């Protein structure tokens, strides 16, 4: 066959992405590594906050003697406490009173892209350092973030306030030049209240405008009412020469820009900001161990390690789009009506608290949706259910909604059935996405049924609202239906599939519509033509209650050709999409699929797919979704009959003209190309010669007209198309 297939599936995830990052700022007083620091660092790494428990990803510190001494010691401590991590440190020192700043980061989860001393003038006596980070697994700017680490001039008084203000002016000038960047302003600010010029400047408008994550911009934080946010003097008495007096000042902060304050992309997770060990239960203006914000030994360690407590927060990762193509073209690469091209879009951000993925899907296919459901669904009430059923097919085939009552058991049934005819073997796979009812015994699933009578044979794979997945059959007309199996742990949503091959009916289930578990097989002799579809009931011993069940079946999500559609999927979740490849004409086609998302953290969150195929405007005859030699031979066997299934030109008789339509128009081959190598040549002639004047049947023997002998009539097809 002269058919080509090109598959281009680019998955833009080169490295595993970390879960939400844990970032801390800590003034380690006077650059000394004191007793208790190990305990504090370990407790910060072990803390569980709203389900997030992870070692520190970044810690920035003030009052470091130098990065080669104090910061290096902290790096070594963290590596010892967390052997699975690879902690590294910054390499530049700032100058000025109060020591330098330093940063330690887990190289397994974040990379330091840059470190920069913000220029200072004579009005500023301490450097501010800007660090640039990017989480591992991300390559776009959306996941890049900056941390300005600072230790501003201490103490109250006009001159000290002025020096803090001058430093913040330089910080804002530098930050504004970065544009709409994700910025954390962290460290020991020594700001007393919201009316200080430094605070006002930091929160003034502009690209680098800061926001207080706990919303105290207007009220301030002085006094016992705000003791939860205080960070200085965890001990009421002086230890090792450090500041004492008890917890009554909020000098340590993590301020953030709007980019980190909108819960989109890389952003601070709401309510994760905290002074470590401070839950507001301690006595105001007293030691932190009068409260219960951490274990007693940790609270005591906070008192001995420093005269500040760390400020910690969690930051969600941007969404990461991963697209998997689920469909495989038939071996012949010929697609018949109703073929569904399926693919899965996943948000592989590592933590369920990470950002949701917003994306759009576009295809190059022109919509041939006439408003008629290509599933050709019909529906009826089987028997006499207590409440008449109702069905909404408006959104089909992407969604079918059914409200029904009744039961499917005993020797006769009464329920609502949405169905279509199944002329021979085949299958139906759909997702049961919703099942709601006041009754725990509400039931919905897929059924193959011999007739529409209430006592018909059937096989039914279904989900109960509260009792899991079940399999029920009636193998003899009028007999009592039998329940055969129950998997209680299966819950909705669940993919269901029911298939028929001869007298054997198989029930399968899946969590994703891709990986199937074949669960039950029943041997039930039925008519050649049966019914397959969705069955919904609400089993109750007392039908006068009038209870109903509401069920929704779908294909995960359907894409309408030629229309741009938008979708959202949460972190660690996915949607399966299907696109029906239909056309009014047979011939060579190309599917082009484009997905664009807000996942700018990885290769701009784009996905492009191209697939060449041939469309046949007929169904394949044997139902295997592969228009191939088996279908050709079925038509050849029907030559000379009036079988309408094979009478492609509607002449009233199956003949070689129908065979030519099948082979040349729908399959794109030439009559006489016996080996399907794309040309009628010597190899085909040799096959003909080997079978000449033999009693034989079938295309592979060069017997094309069903007269049971390979003769000159068959040779004419080879001769007429020779070299083509």
């Amino acid at each position: 066959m002269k058919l080509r297939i090109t598959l281009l599936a680019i998955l833009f995830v080169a490295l595993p992405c970390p879960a939400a990052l844990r970032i801390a700022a800590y003034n380690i007083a006077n650059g000394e590594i004191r007793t208790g620091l190990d305990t504090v660092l370990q407790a910060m790494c072990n803390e569980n906050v709203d389900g997030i428990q992870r070692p520190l990803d970044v810690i920035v510190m003030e009052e470091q003697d130098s990065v080669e001494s104090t910061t290096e010691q902290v790096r070594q401590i963290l590596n010892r406490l967390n052997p699975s991590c690879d902690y590294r440190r910054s390499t530049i020192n700032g100058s000025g009173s109060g020591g330098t700043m330093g940063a330690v980061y887990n190289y397994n989860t974040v990379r330091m892209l840059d470190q920069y001393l913000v220029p200072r003038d004579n009005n500023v006596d301490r450097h501010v350092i800007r660090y640039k980070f990017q989480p591992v697994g991300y390559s776009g700017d959306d996941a890049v973030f900056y941390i300005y680490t600072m230790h501003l001039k201490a103490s109250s008084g006009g001159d000290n306030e002025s020096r803090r203000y001058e430093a913040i002016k330089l910080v804002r000038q530098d930050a504004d030049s970065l544009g709409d960047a994700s910025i954390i302003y962290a460290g020991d600010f020594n700001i007393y209240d919201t009316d200080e010029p430094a605070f006002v400047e930091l929160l003034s408008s502009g690209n680098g405008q800061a926001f207080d994550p706990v919303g105290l911009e207007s009220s301030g934080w002085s006094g016992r009412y705000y003791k939860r946010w205080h960070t200085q003097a965890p001990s009421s008495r002086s230890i090792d020469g450090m500041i004492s007096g008890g917890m009554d000042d909020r000098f340590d902060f993590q301020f953030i820009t709007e980019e980190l304050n909108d819960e989109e992309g890389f952003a601070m997770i709401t309510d994760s900001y905290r002074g470590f060990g401070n839950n507001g239960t301690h006595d105001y203006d007293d030691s932190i161990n009068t409260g219960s914000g951490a274990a007693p030994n940790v609270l005591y360690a906070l008192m001995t390690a420093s005269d500040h407590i760390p400020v910690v927060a969690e930051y969600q990762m941007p969404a990461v789009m991963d697209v998997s193509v689920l469909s495989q073209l038939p071996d012949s690469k010929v697609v018949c009506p109703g073929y569904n091209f399926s693919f899965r879009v996943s948000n592989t951000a590592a933590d369920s608290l990470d950002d949701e993925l917003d994306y759009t899907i576009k295809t190059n296919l022109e919509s041939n949706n006439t408003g008629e459901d290509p599933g050709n669904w019909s529906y009826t009430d089987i028997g006499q259910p207590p409440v008449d059923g109702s069905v909404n097919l408006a959104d089909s085939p992407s969604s079918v909604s059914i409200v029904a009552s009744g039961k499917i058991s005993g020797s006769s049934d009464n329920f609502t059935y949405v169905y279509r005819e199944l002329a021979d073997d085949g299958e139906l796979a759909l997702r049961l996405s919703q099942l709601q009812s006041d009754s725990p015994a509400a039931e919905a699933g897929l059924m193959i049924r011999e007739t529409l009578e209430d006592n018909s044979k059937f096989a039914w794979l279904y989900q109960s609202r509260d009792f899991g997945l079940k399999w029920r059959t009636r193998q003899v007309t009028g007999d009592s239906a039998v329940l055969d199996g129950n998997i209680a742990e299966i819950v909705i949503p669940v993919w269901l599939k029911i298939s028929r091959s001869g007298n054997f009916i198989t029930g399968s289930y899946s969590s994703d519509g891709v990986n199937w578990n074949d669960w039950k097989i029943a041997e039930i002799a039925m008519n050649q033509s049966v019914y397959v579809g969705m069955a919904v009931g609400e089993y109750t011993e007392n039908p006068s209650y009038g209870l109903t069940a509401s069920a929704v079946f779908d294909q995960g999500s359907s894409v309408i050709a030629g229309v741009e559609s938008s979708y959202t999927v949460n972190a660690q979740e996915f949607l399966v999409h299907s696109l029906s490849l239909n056309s009014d004409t047979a011939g060579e086609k190309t599917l082009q699929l484009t997905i664009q998302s807000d996942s700018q953290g990885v290769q701009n969150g784009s996905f492009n797919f191209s697939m060449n195929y041939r469309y046949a405007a007929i169904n394949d005859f044997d139902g295997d979704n592969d228009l191939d030699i088996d279908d050709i031979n079925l038509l050849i066997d029907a030559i000379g009959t009036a079988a309408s299934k094979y009478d492609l030109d509607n002449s009233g008789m199956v003949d070689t003209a129908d065979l030519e339509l099948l082979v040349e128009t729908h399959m794109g081959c030439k009559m006489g190309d016996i080996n399907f190598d794309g040309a009628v040549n010597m190899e085909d002639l040799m096959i003909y010669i080997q079978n000449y004047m033999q009693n034989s049947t079938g295309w592979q023997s060069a017997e094309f007209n069903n007269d049971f002998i390979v003769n000159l009539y068959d040779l004419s097809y080879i001769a007429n198309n020779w070299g083509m």
Side-chain angles (χ1 to χ4, degrees), residues 113-345:
L113 305 182
D114 186 33
Q115 45 190 326
Y116 172 73
L117 285 175
V118 177
R120 63 189 178 97
D121 55 29
N122 293 332
N123 296 317
V124 177
D125 58 353
R126 299 176 179 181
H127 265 126
V128 173
I129 301 180
R130 184 189 75 199
Y131 303 110
K132 181 179 181 181
F133 292 99
Q134 185 175 62
V136 168
Y138 291 85
S139 54
D141 291 340
D142 189 51
V144 168
F145 63 97
Y146 298 86
I147 302 181
Y148 285 88
T149 309
M150 61 197 79
H151 181 203
L152 303 184
K153 186 68 175 69
S155 300
S156 58
D159 182 64
N160 295 320
E161 289 186 9
S162 175
R163 290 182 179 276
R164 290 194 286 269
Y165 169 65
E166 294 296 331
I168 290 297
K169 280 203 306 182
L170 294 175
V171 168
R172 278 300 308 270
Q173 180 179 336
D174 187 77
D176 288 353
S177 70
L178 298 176
D180 295 330
S182 298
I183 298 173
I184 303 169
Y185 301 103
D188 179 4
F189 287 70
N190 282 308
I191 292 176
Y192 285 85
D193 215 329
T194 58
D195 59 356
E196 272 207 30
F199 184 84
V200 174
E201 176 68 15
L202 188 62
L203 274 67
S204 63
S205 61
N207 289 333
Q209 181 178 10
F211 295 86
D212 184 356
V214 297
L216 301 183
E217 298 97 331
S218 300
S219 63
W221 45 81
S222 297
R224 68 178 61 251
Y225 183 78
Y226 298 104
K227 64 180 180 176
R228 177 187 172 187
W229 307 113
H230 296 162
T231 63
Q232 192 181 31
S235 175
S236 61
R237 60 185 178 85
S238 178
I239 298 177
D240 198 17
M242 295 185 295
I243 299 296
S244 61
M247 300 276 289
D248 61 356
D249 287 305
R250 185 192 183 196
F251 287 160
D252 306 88
F253 296 86
Q254 287 189 43
F255 293 111
I256 55 177
T257 56
E258 177 61 29
E259 293 295 309
L260 297 177
N261 196 42
D262 58 4
E263 300 182 5
E264 299 290 337
F266 184 77
M268 182 182 286
I269 294 176
T270 303
D271 298 330
S272 71
Y273 182 103
R274 60 203 181 273
F276 178 72
N278 181 0
N279 63 356
T281 58
H282 64 282
D283 295 336
Y284 174 67
D285 207 18
D286 204 345
S287 298
I288 195 169
N289 68 346
T290 60
S292 60
N297 68 310
V298 175
L299 295 175
Y300 185 76
L302 284 169
M303 297 164 55
T304 61
S306 176
D307 51 20
H308 294 253
I309 64 172
V311 177
V312 190
E314 265 72 54
Y315 291 81
Q316 72 177 16
M317 292 294 96
V320 178
M321 185 175 72
D322 183 10
V323 183
S324 303
V325 174
L326 307 179
S327 296
Q328 289 186 342
L329 282 178
D331 291 339
S332 62
K333 309 301 185 290
V334 180
V335 167
C336 294
Y339 173 85
N340 283 325
F341 172 78
S342 299
F343 55 97
R344 177 173 57 197
V345 180

Side-chain angles (χ1 to χ4, degrees), residues 387-519:
V387 179
D388 291 342
S390 62
V391 177
N392 182 4
L393 297 175
D395 297 326
S396 61
S398 62
S399 178
V400 176
S401 302
I402 305 169
V403 177
S405 65
K407 64 181 182 67
I408 307 172
S409 65
S411 58
S412 63
D413 312 316
N414 50 84
F415 68 99
T416 298
Y417 193 35
V418 179
Y419 64 91
R420 64 186 181 215
E421 289 192 48
L422 181 63
D424 207 329
D425 294 344
E427 67 179 33
L428 175 64
L430 290 170
R431 184 178 69 166
L432 176 61
S433 58
Q434 295 181 35
L435 177 58
Q436 299 176 340
S437 176
D438 290 333
S439 168
E443 302 165 337
L446 304 184
M447 174 183 286
I448 289 179
R449 192 174 185 88
E450 185 176 44
T451 73
L452 300 179
E453 300 298 323
D454 62 1
N455 63 351
S456 170
K457 303 174 187 177
F458 70 80
W460 187 33
L461 176 70
Y462 64 99
Q463 182 79 17
S464 173
R465 194 198 78 175
D466 287 3
F467 305 116
L469 188 68
K470 296 185 178 183
W471 175 255
R472 191 182 293 269
T473 62
R474 181 181 293 126
Q475 302 193 21
V476 177
T477 301
D479 273 7
S480 184
V482 176
L483 177 65
D484 177 24
N486 177 212
I487 306 179
E489 58 269 23
I490 301 295
V491 296
I492 297 170
V494 60
W495 285 82
L496 305 176
K497 180 167 67 175
I498 193 164
S499 55
R500 181 196 192 197
S501 178
N503 290 336
F504 293 95
I505 301 176
T506 302
S508 309
Y509 66 92
S510 170
S511 61
D512 57 12
V514 180
N515 302 296
W516 289 94
N517 301 284
D518 293 336
W519 181 42

Side-chain angles (χ1 to χ4, degrees), residues 559-620:
V559 179
I560 299 176
V563 176
E564 181 173 336
S565 303
S566 299
Y567 304 88
T568 297
V569 61
N570 294 324
Q572 295 187 314
E573 295 182 358
F574 62 87
L575 276 177
V576 176
H577 299 277
S578 63
L579 176 62
S580 185
L581 304 186
N582 294 308
S583 179
D584 296 327
T585 59
E588 300 286 346
K589 309 286 182 180
T590 299
L591 166 65
Q592 291 180 346
L593 174 70
T594 299
I595 304 175
Q596 289 288 345
S597 78
D598 63 350
S599 173
Q600 300 302 310
V602 180
Q603 295 292 330
N604 297 322
S606 62
F607 176 86
N608 295 284
F609 177 87
S610 178
M611 181 176 75
N612 297 327
Y613 62 96
R614 185 175 184 84
Y615 183 77
I618 60 168
N619 291 304
D620 67 314

